[in-house]
């Protein structure tokens, strides 16, 4: 009879255990101990106490697991509330996500998730990725700024994608200047003195302000060619803009209603000047010829 009771209790407890936890090592160990104790207790009643201990251990394990699950659910709820309050949400439209080691992109959609299947979970390993990328492409990020980027990659979907993009093998830095955040990458590359914010909206404002400054300065030199203006900007603002990054900044400002002068000075109209000289010569020559004939 006692053996029957053991098995009835066993199946009741098994049914109360979620399916995804039944194959765990702890559950297997507890169930094995419980069955062995139940069988032996039918032959040796002294082992009934062991079966009882196994039963108690099983109950304790279930209570601990339930408590841990409640803690995780609460933390996830708090994180989601924080993300919603700070705007850390990915648009439902598709977004290009870098795939590690391939240099290719795939489109993903849905609710924002800061979990990454590309990046390591440990912060020190993510920091190593940022440091190596910073060194390879001479981004001039400080240790504090790199730490901020890594920390933000756990909260911000955009910063997470930026760190993921740093795992891609690029043949040229210009391959990196792609996607919706090309403005941010051009800013990190061109400016040797930078500001990095964990809030991506504020970061966009930082980039816009910096680009506005250099382009307003470039507007004051409209008599120079674009290459000459870029050279003057780099000397004045301690930057390393080239034609590509300067035009990324221009298009970024243009998309936000900030208009700047792109064309240089008007070229000399040599054709018109020559025509004017020809007319003057014809007029002068005609008059001289008429005077000569009169004499």
């Amino acid at each position: 009879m006692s053996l029957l009771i053991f098995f009835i209790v066993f199946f009741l407890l098994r049914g109360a255990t979620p399916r995804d936890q039944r194959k765990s090592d702890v559950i297997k160990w507890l169930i094995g101990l419980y069955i062995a104790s139940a069988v032996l207790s039918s032959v040796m009643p002294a082992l009934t106490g062991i079966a009882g201990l196994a039963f108690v251990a099983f109950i304790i394990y279930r209570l601990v697991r339930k408590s841990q699950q409640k803690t995780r659910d609460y933390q996830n709820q708090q994180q989601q509330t924080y993300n919603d309050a700070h705007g850390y949400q990915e648009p439902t439209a598709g977004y290009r996500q870098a795939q590690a080691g391939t240099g290719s992109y795939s489109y993903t959609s849905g609710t924002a998730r800061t979990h990454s299947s590309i990046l390591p979970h440990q912060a020190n390993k993510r920091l190593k990725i940022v440091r190596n990328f910073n060194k390879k492409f001479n981004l001039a990020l400080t240790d504090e700024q790199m730490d901020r980027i890594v920390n933000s990659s756990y909260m911000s979907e955009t910063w997470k994608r930026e760190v993921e993009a740093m795992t891609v093998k690029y043949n040229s830095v210009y391959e990196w200047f792609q996607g919706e955040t090309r403005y941010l990458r051009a800013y990190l590359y061109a400016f040797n003195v930078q500001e990095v914010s964990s809030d991506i909206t504020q970061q966009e404002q930082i980039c816009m302000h910096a680009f506005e400054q250099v382009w307003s300065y470039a507007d004051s030199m409209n008599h120079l060619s674009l290459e000459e203006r870029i050279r003057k900007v780099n000397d004045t603002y301690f930057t390393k803009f080239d034609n590509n990054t300067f035009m990324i900044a221009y298009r970024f400002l243009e998309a936000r209603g900030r208009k700047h002068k792109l064309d240089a000075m008007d070229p000399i109209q040599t054709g018109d000047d020559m025509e004017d000289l020809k007319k003057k010569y014809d007029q002068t020559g005609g008059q001289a010829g008429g005077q000569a004939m009169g004499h």
Side-chain angles (χ1 to χ4, degrees):
M1 180 65 68
S2 60
L3 185 60
L4 178 61
I5 294 175
F6 274 116
F7 278 108
I8 291 175
V9 174
F10 162 71
F11 283 112
L12 289 175
L13 292 175
R14 185 175 183 274
T17 305
R19 184 180 297 272
D20 62 338
Q21 296 180 14
R22 293 176 188 171
K23 296 182 180 181
S24 67
D25 293 337
V26 175
I27 290 294
K28 289 180 180 178
W29 182 82
L30 289 174
I31 290 177
L33 178 61
Y34 185 79
I35 293 175
S37 300
V39 173
L40 291 175
S41 66
S42 64
V43 181
M44 301 174 61
L47 293 178
T48 303
I50 298 178
L53 291 175
F55 175 76
V56 172
F58 184 84
I59 294 300
I60 293 174
Y61 170 79
R62 291 291 300 124
L63 291 175
V64 171
R65 291 286 296 179
K66 187 175 182 180
S67 176
Q68 291 175 341
Q69 185 61 46
K70 285 184 177 180
T71 301
R72 283 193 295 268
D73 291 342
Y74 176 78
Q75 291 174 341
N76 290 337
Q77 183 180 6
Q78 293 297 311
Q79 182 65 63
Q80 186 61 45
T81 302
Y82 181 87
N83 288 349
D84 293 341
H86 290 75
Y88 297 135
Q89 293 292 326
E90 182 182 9
T92 54
Y95 190 86
R96 302 172 71 182
Q97 181 182 23
Q99 301 298 317
T102 63
S104 60
Y105 294 89
S106 63
Y107 283 89
T108 59
S109 62
T111 305
R113 297 178 60 190
T114 52
H115 171 73
S116 175
S117 59
I118 298 174
L119 299 177
H121 183 69
Q122 298 88 336
N124 61 331
K125 292 184 178 180
R126 293 191 182 191
L127 183 59
K128 184 177 180 181
I129 293 172
V130 178
R131 280 179 175 168
N132 290 340
F133 193 86
N134 180 65
K135 182 178 179 180
K136 180 178 180 181
F137 292 113
N138 193 27
L139 300 187
L141 289 166
T142 65
D143 290 339
E144 181 182 357
Q145 289 169 343
M146 288 187 285
D147 284 335
R148 189 172 301 146
I149 290 173
V150 170
N151 293 336
S152 300
S153 69
Y154 291 98
M155 301 186 301
S156 166
E157 184 70 10
T158 300
W159 276 120
K160 184 202 75 175
R161 287 194 298 261
E162 289 307 303
V163 179
E164 286 179 341
M166 293 181 183
T167 67
V168 178
K169 183 179 180 180
Y170 299 104
N171 295 314
S172 168
V173 69
Y174 297 104
E175 290 182 328
W176 181 49
F177 299 139
Q178 300 184 41
E180 296 179 12
T181 55
R182 62 171 63 88
Y183 74 91
L184 172 59
R185 300 175 185 184
Y187 170 80
L188 294 177
Y189 177 78
F191 283 84
N192 291 302
V193 179
Q194 308 156 336
E195 290 184 65
V196 174
S197 173
S198 59
D199 186 277
I200 199 63
T201 302
Q202 183 183 5
Q203 184 65 57
E204 182 176 331
Q205 293 297 320
I206 291 171
C207 295
M208 186 166 64
H209 177 71
F211 291 154
E212 182 71 20
Q213 274 193 311
V214 298
W215 263 102
S216 295
Y217 179 66
D219 288 344
S220 66
M221 302 177 290
N222 198 41
H223 60 286
L224 300 177
S225 67
L226 183 61
E227 287 72 20
E228 290 173 321
R229 283 187 281 168
I230 292 174
R231 194 177 307 115
K232 291 281 188 180
V233 165
N234 289 336
D235 292 340
T236 303
Y237 289 94
F238 191 50
T239 53
K240 51 178 183 288
F241 279 104
D242 57 15
N243 187 273
N244 293 281
T245 51
F246 210 58
M247 289 307 302
I248 289 174
Y250 176 83
R251 296 303 178 191
F252 173 75
L253 294 172
E254 183 182 48
R256 282 151 183 79
R258 306 295 181 92
K259 301 295 183 180
H260 291 278
K261 301 174 184 178
L262 182 59
D263 296 331
M265 61 181 180
D266 295 333
I268 299 175
Q269 302 294 322
T270 55
D272 293 343
D273 291 344
M274 291 298 294
E275 187 67 25
D276 291 341
L277 290 174
K278 184 175 183 299
K279 288 181 179 179
K280 290 180 180 179
Y281 174 79
D282 290 340
Q283 292 174 356
T284 305
Q287 293 175 358
Q291 292 176 357
M293 290 292 293
H295 288 291

